[in-house]
Amino acid sequence: MTATPSKLLLVEDNEINRDMLVRRLSRAGYTVVAAGDGAQALDKMRTEQPALVLLDMNLPVKDGWTTCQEARADEALTNIPIIALTAHAMDSDREHALSIGCTDYATKPIDFPDLLKKIERLLTP
Amino acid sequence: MKWRRSSLSLRTRLYLFSGGILTLFAVNVATHVWGSFARSESLIAYRDAVNAAQLITDLEQSLEDNRQQVLVLATLRETTEDPLGVDEREVALAELNTIEQRLRRLGALGGEGTEDYYRRLHDSASKLLLDWRSFYSDYNNRSVVLNMESATTYNDAFQRLQELDQRQAFLAVQRSNTIDRTISITDRITVFGFVTTIAVTMLLVIALIRSTNASLLRLKTGVQRFGSGDLTHRIDAGRDAGEMGDLARTFNDMSAKLQSAIEDVRDAKANADAANAAKSMFLANVSHELRTPLNAIIGYSEMLQDEIGDPGELDRDQFHHDLGTIIFSGRQLLSLINDILDLSKIETGKMLVTAEWFQPAALVFQVCDSLSPLLSQNSNQLELDIDSNMPELHSDPGKVQQIVTNLFSNACKFTQNGTIKVSAHWRDDELRISVADTGIGMTDEQQSRVFDAFIQAESTTSTEYGGTGLGLAIVKQFCEMLGGHITLDSAPGEGSTFTVALPAVQGSDRAIV
């Protein structure tokens, strides 16, 4: 089973923000699967085989940092690009996210056109 | 037994040192004086013996001369008729007196063990002299047959004289030996005393130098160790008495003061650093909290802008709902900003208390009523136990309202399918408002931090339950500003009960914070 090129996994616990991003990404032509916490996210990464993951860092049950590290440690998931989404806006947060294995980083409030560019760049072979 | 010389003061050490040297010097002088005395004693005795020998020789000569003279005169008297001239007789008697005087002098010189010899000589010589005096006295009296002294008397006297001479010679030799011995002994004692003095003086000097040096070294080491940053180092002041001990104690006092001053500065710096770190953390948290609702506001607005440009019929219900979300997020952002401003005002002391008389029961009812929509969100039920006959309260109604609001919305937030119980009673001249829920509850560790700003029981709690993490911090500050306090009773899984106690008259028995 290969990943559907346009299938994205959005991991976000805040319902309002999750609905908003699902709708906007769907509008942009992507198939979007959503998860509300880190444990769900890892499950859906295995079952749904998304082409890319948008991962909020402040998550219940299992936070984004741990989720990212576990995904990177799992052979089946290690190559899925992950874009970290966080309201932590410091440079050190960005460096930390990249150091634990996130492929890219976007700060809330999300600059949506910029996020789309990042997704496209990562999905273009 | 250890001689704790270093426990003496420097002055005492110097006095003892000088005293020791002077004592040794005195001992040397005394030895020398005693030696001189012993020598002169022996010399006097020796001189007496020599004088006695000389007198004996003179006496021998005189006795012999006189005997010759007596023998000659006796022969003359028998052969001639010439009388003995007065002058001649006087001379002869004077000679006898001289002999007698010499005998007495000899007696006076009598050394040890010569008394018997002298008495025997004196007896014989007295008899001889008596004979000779009679001879000279009766010489011209022809009627008297001169009792010529017999040879026996003279020989006897001479014999005694020689015996005494021998005795004196023996004594002289003995005394000469004594002198030799005395000189030898006093010389040895003097040399021994001198050498001992030098040795003891050197030992004393070394002891003084070492003990003083040890004290100074301890001081120096202590100062160096303290100077090199070992602030807890103290000099063992008990090991020195007097000036050195005083100096060590003074240094220790100074060290203690310096140490506490340095530690105060370090503490102040640590506190300032901690306060600074807390401010940075607060700022980072504020930034984070503001971005979350802004994300929704901007995201939904942009999305609606996009959708409005789409061809076809607009889903008005969806549009209306989305606008509601934007408004909700905006309000959330506003309440967050208000909370932050409130906390900032409290921290800088600019939050004012406006006290007035009001009916607390009515206020609590009103808050519960206006927040009742929150109950349905998590399917909770409200239970009220409010004493409507409570007296009026003199306090800040705005703050009381915010306290109850924050506690009520927290209870709703952390409880699912449960009961929120709000009670208000008058007890011990205090208004007691308690908000109890049957929600998730808190561990002791979580309870200890729950009133700190930006703290929710768990870092993940805020994402699960939302909220700014400022509500309880503000509640606690407001309670204290109104002269009251807040208590928390909770256990994990068994819900939480927050109880606020406010005085009847704000500031009446408690200082306004």
Side-chain angles (χ1 to χ4, degrees):
Chain A
M1 190 167 89
T2 53
T4 315
S6 57
K7 192 191 241 183
L8 309 180
L9 172 62
L10 170 66
V11 192
E12 167 68 79
D13 64 311
N14 183 296
E15 215 180 311
I16 297 173
N17 281 325
R18 186 170 67 225
D19 288 349
M20 181 266 289
L21 272 180
V22 168
R23 278 168 65 186
R24 295 192 78 182
L25 289 168
S26 302
R27 234 180 99 78
Y30 293 102
T31 309
V32 185
V33 185
D37 63 55
Q40 274 182 32
L42 284 170
D43 283 348
K44 291 207 169 163
M45 279 167 86
R46 292 194 184 93
T47 54
E48 302 283 346
Q49 293 280 313
L52 184 141
V53 179
L54 295 166
L55 181 63
D56 182 27
M57 286 296 156
N58 246 2
L59 292 173
V61 186
K62 188 176 280 181
D63 69 28
W65 313 100
T66 316
T67 307
C68 181
Q69 277 165 325
E70 285 182 18
R72 286 300 171 240
D74 188 326
E75 216 171 293
L77 311 179
T78 190
N79 288 322
I80 303 178
I82 297 176
I83 297 178
L85 303 180
T86 165
H88 290 289
M90 309 286 171
D91 285 346
S92 58
D93 298 322
R94 182 191 164 83
E95 278 158 25
H96 184 211
L98 297 180
S99 77
I100 61 159
C102 293
T103 325
D104 210 333
Y105 183 95
T107 310
K108 293 180 190 176
I110 303 288
D111 180 341
F112 195 71
D114 186 57
L115 179 66
L116 284 181
K117 273 185 207 153
K118 282 176 179 166
I119 295 170
E120 274 167 35
R121 197 163 55 233
L122 287 171
L123 292 182
T124 310
Chain B
M1 197 175 77
K2 196 185 167 199
W3 178 39
R4 288 179 60 100
R5 62 169 178 260
S6 52
S7 68
L8 299 171
S9 76
L10 185 60
R11 193 195 322 199
T12 314
R13 275 183 237 163
L14 285 172
Y15 277 138
L16 281 179
F17 173 74
S18 312
I21 301 282
L22 284 175
T23 308
L24 285 169
F25 184 68
V27 167
N28 267 0
V29 169
T31 311
H32 182 72
V33 168
W34 172 75
S36 301
F37 178 74
R39 281 178 201 212
S40 73
E41 279 284 284
S42 302
L43 274 173
I44 286 165
Y46 179 71
R47 205 163 54 228
D48 285 352
V50 170
N51 285 343
Q54 185 63 48
L55 272 173
I56 287 166
T57 310
D58 290 350
L59 269 172
E60 276 174 357
Q61 193 62 51
S62 306
L63 285 178
E64 206 175 330
D65 290 351
N66 229 10
R67 184 169 183 263
Q68 287 298 321
Q69 194 178 333
V70 167
L71 285 175
V72 171
L73 282 173
T75 313
L76 279 174
R77 190 172 180 253
E78 281 176 13
T79 51
T80 66
E81 290 292 320
D82 292 344
L84 186 64
V86 178
D87 289 349
E88 281 174 306
R89 196 176 64 186
E90 287 303 315
V91 168
L93 284 173
E95 183 64 24
L96 290 181
N97 282 339
T98 309
I99 290 173
E100 203 169 7
Q101 277 173 10
R102 279 179 182 161
L103 266 174
R104 269 192 230 108
R105 272 171 59 200
L106 190 58
L109 286 173
E112 186 188 351
T114 59
E115 294 86 355
D116 287 347
Y117 292 92
Y118 177 74
R119 204 175 54 245
R120 283 201 292 276
L121 168 66
H122 189 262
D123 290 351
S124 308
S126 298
K127 203 170 153 197
L128 184 62
L129 287 172
L130 196 65
D131 285 350
W132 280 348
R133 277 209 181 85
S134 311
F135 174 79
Y136 286 120
S137 309
D138 300 340
Y139 189 85
N140 292 336
N141 190 351
R142 287 293 170 176
S143 63
V144 177
V145 178
L146 282 175
N147 176 25
M148 272 305 295
E149 43 79 47
S150 64
T152 328
T153 315
Y154 170 75
N155 285 341
D156 191 43
F158 203 79
Q159 177 79 34
R160 300 290 173 227
L161 195 57
Q162 281 190 328
E163 279 172 12
L164 184 63
D165 189 20
Q166 278 170 8
R167 180 66 197 166
Q168 288 287 8
F170 170 74
L171 279 180
V173 169
Q174 215 179 26
R175 280 162 186 171
S176 155
N177 287 340
T178 308
I179 290 174
D180 284 349
R181 259 203 323 276
T182 307
I183 288 174
S184 159
I185 287 172
T186 52
D187 279 356
R188 272 188 224 158
I189 288 175
T190 307
V191 168
F192 177 77
F194 188 64
V195 170
T196 310
T197 305
I198 290 176
V200 172
T201 305
M202 280 178 69
L203 283 176
L204 280 175
V205 168
I206 289 169
L208 182 70
I209 288 173
R210 286 184 61 142
S211 65
T212 308
N213 206 38
S215 303
L216 286 174
L217 196 66
R218 271 198 293 282
L219 284 175
K220 186 187 152 202
T221 313
V223 174
Q224 274 178 342
R225 282 189 61 178
F226 189 83
S228 64
D230 180 2
L231 300 182
T232 56
H233 182 71
R234 294 288 180 275
I235 299 169
D236 184 0
R239 293 189 59 185
D240 286 302
E243 311 84 348
M244 294 295 185
D246 288 347
L247 196 54
R249 272 185 290 280
T250 310
F251 174 80
N252 284 348
D253 288 349
M254 186 195 77
S255 303
K257 279 175 192 151
L258 262 179
Q259 186 189 1
S260 93
I262 290 170
E263 279 167 359
D264 286 352
V265 170
R266 277 186 193 160
D267 288 350
K269 188 179 179 295
N271 288 340
D273 287 349
N276 205 22
K279 283 264 183 267
S280 299
M281 178 68 88
F282 185 83
L283 200 63
N285 283 330
V286 166
S287 158
H288 179 266
E289 297 303 325
L290 293 178
R291 281 164 190 277
T292 304
L294 266 178
N295 190 45
I297 294 167
I298 294 173
Y300 269 93
S301 307
E302 284 180 353
M303 186 175 69
L304 292 184
Q305 195 176 39
D306 288 347
E307 282 176 2
I308 219 163
D310 281 350
E313 190 66 22
L314 189 69
D315 183 345
R316 295 181 72 87
D317 287 345
Q318 181 67 50
F319 200 86
H320 185 262
H321 176 265
D322 292 346
L323 282 175
T325 305
I326 292 172
I327 294 164
F328 175 80
S329 296
R331 288 208 171 121
Q332 204 186 357
L333 189 60
L334 177 65
S335 80
L336 183 61
I337 290 168
N338 283 338
D339 282 355
I340 290 167
L341 280 178
D342 280 354
L343 262 189
S344 170
K345 272 190 199 166
I346 293 168
E347 273 195 13
T348 52
K350 285 175 184 160
M351 176 64 76
L352 299 175
V353 175
T354 329
E356 59 187 73
W357 290 103
F358 65 95
Q359 178 51 249
L363 185 138
V364 176
F365 268 123
Q366 191 194 327
V367 170
C368 292
D369 186 46
S370 67
L371 292 180
S372 57
L374 289 175
L375 291 165
S376 58
Q377 281 185 357
N378 283 335
S379 318
N380 289 317
Q381 291 192 329
L382 178 64
E383 207 177 290
L384 289 176
D385 175 18
I386 297 166
D387 179 1
S388 48
N389 293 320
M390 283 190 288
E392 282 202 325
L393 189 72
H394 190 262
S395 194
D396 187 329
K399 292 189 172 52
V400 176
Q401 182 182 355
Q402 195 166 345
I403 289 169
V404 180
T405 304
N406 287 5
L407 291 178
F408 191 95
S409 36
N410 269 359
C412 293
K413 206 180 289 173
F414 295 107
T415 310
Q416 206 111 39
N417 299 318
T419 309
I420 314 295
K421 183 178 177 183
V422 178
S423 25
H425 290 279
W426 199 261
R427 198 164 298 153
D428 300 334
D429 276 342
E430 280 183 334
L431 170 65
R432 302 272 173 95
I433 305 172
S434 76
V435 179
D437 64 53
T438 54
I440 56 172
M442 277 174 274
T443 63
D444 287 347
E445 201 274 330
Q446 290 169 337
Q447 290 176 45
S448 69
R449 295 184 300 124
V450 80
F451 293 110
D452 295 343
F454 284 122
I455 294 288
Q456 280 181 333
E458 265 184 82
S459 62
T460 53
T461 314
S462 68
T463 45
E464 201 169 340
Y465 298 98
T468 62
L470 295 177
L472 284 177
I474 291 169
V475 165
K476 183 167 189 280
Q477 297 282 353
F478 276 6
C479 284
E480 287 172 4
M481 288 180 83
L482 298 179
H485 57 92
I486 182 165
T487 52
L488 165 61
D489 182 21
S490 179
E494 291 175 23
S496 307
T497 303
F498 288 89
T499 306
V500 172
L502 297 173
V505 176
Q506 183 266 322
S508 63
D509 55 349
R510 271 176 256 250
I512 305 167
V513 180

